[in-house]
Amino acid sequence: MGKLLPWFAIVTAALLVSGIVWALAFAPSDYQQGNSFRIIYIHVPSAILAQSCYMLMAIAGAIGLIWKMKVADMVAKSSAPIGATMALLALVTGAIWGKPTWGSWWVWDARLTSMLILLFLYLGVIALNSAIESEATAAQATAVLALVGLVNIPIIKYSVEWWNTLHQPATFTLTERPAMPAEMWVPLLVMVIGFYCFFAVSLMLRTRNEILHRERRARWVRELIEKQ
Amino acid sequence: MSFDSFSDFLAMGGHGLYVWLSYAIALFVIVINLVSPVLRKKQLVSELVRRLRREKNAS
């Protein structure tokens, strides 16, 4: 993990810098929304990541619950703050985008509301983790909460189809070509991959801290510290 | 390049505030998510170093 980290960091920086420059300066403006459309390059990657991160957190929690694997518990715990900030980023950029496009910062629309619930689920997991003293009990409780909250993920995904919403449908699907021209969606894809790489870096850093903290009485940690 | 001048680029066709605010917040969130675990690691290591020193002095 330690050897992979610098490479992930370099790839993340390269993807995000090129993606942002491309998104801001080179991608064409939308014929209806003008340049406010450029917010999509932040909004969509953060929203996708917030949901993927939640699924990872729930799966890691389930693995920890079933097979009592400690690393899985640590990954679940470490992914919660990243996911929470990504959900918040998606909501805030959505609000900023909504103002010039819909004329309102917020509407109680199905997509927006289910995304807000996702943020609250993350905050619930974080609060539960810090409220329970025993690490094993905290991991079990948050895993159960995360698994119950998993039902929200398909609701977010299909909210634009099940309900009449203001929110536009998904930009990327696995089966169809994107509705926008390539000059628009290629930088978006770069940003999405960049966000995933950023997530990998941040998650590795946090999980390593968590391991160091929990194994603080172990011999290998002591030997590591003595070398410093 | 989809802008004619740098001032056009900053103005974003009148949506400058919205676009730049979004990107600034995104940058802030990304940086926080990378800096905070690095700081936390430093804190953890210094705590462990202090504990090790205490134990050595005690024995």
Side-chain angles (χ1 to χ4, degrees), chain A residues 38 85 202 206 209 222, chain B residues 2-3 23 33 37 51 55:
Chain A
R38 293 179 199 282
T85 53
S202 186
R206 280 180 199 274
N209 286 346
R222 173 183 287 259
Chain B
S2 61
F3 296 97
Y23 279 75
N33 265 311
R51 206 189 68 202
E55 283 174 6

Side-chain angles (χ1 to χ4, degrees), chain A residues 148-191:
Chain A
V148 171
L150 204 54
V151 74
N152 190 41
I153 294 293
I155 295 179
I156 297 175
K157 180 163 169 43
Y158 294 107
S159 56
V160 285
E161 293 169 24
W162 291 344
W163 290 283
N164 238 333
T165 67
L166 264 179
H167 198 283
Q168 61 203 49
T171 312
F172 288 129
T173 55
L174 286 175
T175 48
E176 284 167 55
R177 293 179 64 81
M180 51 172 76
E183 307 90 80
M184 283 181 173
W185 67 255
V186 174
L188 184 55
L189 195 61
V190 171
M191 287 299 281

Side-chain angles (χ1 to χ4, degrees), chain B residues 7-45:
Chain B
S7 57
D8 267 5
F9 178 57
L10 287 182
M12 286 283 163
H15 289 140
L17 182 65
Y18 302 112
V19 174
W20 292 112
L21 190 62
S22 296
Y23 279 75
I25 294 170
L27 205 64
F28 178 73
V29 166
I30 288 173
V31 168
I32 284 284
N33 265 311
L34 296 173
V35 168
S36 82
V38 170
L39 293 179
R40 169 84 177 133
K41 189 187 176 184
K42 279 197 177 145
Q43 186 199 344
L44 277 171
V45 169

Side-chain angles (χ1 to χ4, degrees), chain A residues 1 70-71 74-75 77-78 135 203-228, chain B residues 37-49 51:
Chain A
M1 203 158 73
K70 272 195 201 163
V71 181
M74 297 182 209
V75 168
K77 188 184 176 186
S78 304
E135 276 156 359
L203 185 63
M204 276 193 253
L205 289 173
R206 280 180 199 274
T207 308
R208 292 172 84 183
N209 286 346
E210 199 61 33
I211 294 171
L212 197 62
H213 177 64
R214 291 203 197 177
E215 301 286 310
R216 60 190 179 277
R217 311 210 183 275
R219 183 194 291 269
W220 68 268
V221 172
R222 173 183 287 259
E223 283 166 2
L224 197 75
I225 296 297
E226 272 171 348
K227 267 188 253 165
Q228 301 241 325
Chain B
V38 170
L39 293 179
R40 169 84 177 133
K41 189 187 176 184
K42 279 197 177 145
Q43 186 199 344
L44 277 171
V45 169
S46 73
E47 270 171 26
L48 288 169
V49 167
R51 206 189 68 202

